[in-house]
Amino acid sequence: MTTHALDTSARLSVAPMMDWTDRHCRYLHRLLSREVLLYTEMVTSPALVRGGALHLLDFSEAEHPVAVQLGGSDPKELAQAAKLCEAHGYDEVNLNVGCPSDRVQSGTFGAVLMKTPAVVADCVKAMQDAVSVEVTVKCRIGVDDQAPDEVLPDFLNHMQKVGVRRATIHARKAWLQGLSPKENRDIPPLDYPLVHQMKRDFSDMHLSINGGIATLEEAQAHLEAGMDGVMIGRAAYHNPADILCQADRRIYGTGQDSDPVAVVAQMLPYIEAHLSGGGKLHQVTRHMLGLFAGRPGARGWRRYLSENATKPDADTKTVEAALMSVTQAAA
């Protein structure tokens, strides 16, 4: 995709989330919205380059626009990984400078890299030299005892100097000691004003805000206040219809609202293909549990799929039976 097209797509994006935003999740999200920018789970450069785990890069052509997120801290290895991602057809390569997990820190990448912006700049430069697709960064406002109002502008300055044009900022610090990854998503306070200030200070960069944003109304408020984009994580996963069904019309001014019941029907051929290839139903339907959250029949839909999708004979008929909870409740 062109840079301009990706800038437009990035007005709203679904965050990269480990164990959640796999290819089945992204296919579902793409049916709900034609426009939003989708991200893979983080894929580590060692897994691709040393481990040869190229299956981690598999995706459906229907998912475009889609970006891959890489984790790593070795410029040469990240450059090789970025090449593999470009060859697979991704529209963007994103470097993770925000994940606080222990597993990530031990590999010296993720949020710990906020401490060494020069290393990140070297990584980004190596990736840019290796590929023609855009290289972007997702970061935190700082880690541990760093002062975000000092560290974040310095970090963005390093990025801008090597030609990074688009970045996503998670508006929380990451505490690398004492907090779990889950706690790091909730406990450190959000600092939206600082991220908005960064947009004013780095007006030439395309900056998206991330962290704690749970509704389209909140996303629109950030855009109206001057942010270029908004990235939504857990809310888009647990309540996908609330975030994505109206996104094309309200955020992009295009298209019609999608209908979750119709989207279930659209998922059936995809599920058939997955099952015929040896896949299991629950690998797809686990991402569909929240599709009717807050709507009549949602509990029956969720319960039926939870109880039956893992059975050996589970197939598309299982999904159709679960949908009866919703259609009957709406009748």
Side-chain angles (χ1 to χ4, degrees), residues 31-48:
L31 291 177
L32 293 167
S33 165
R34 297 304 314 155
E35 303 292 341
V36 300
L37 179 57
L38 302 176
Y39 281 83
T40 68
E41 306 170 84
M42 182 183 66
V43 182
T44 69
S45 54
L48 296 178

Side-chain angles (χ1 to χ4, degrees), residues 27 31-32 258-271:
Y27 190 90
L31 291 177
L32 293 167
S258 58
D259 170 19
V261 173
V263 165
V264 173
Q266 291 173 279
M267 284 297 293
L268 296 180
Y270 178 85
I271 290 170

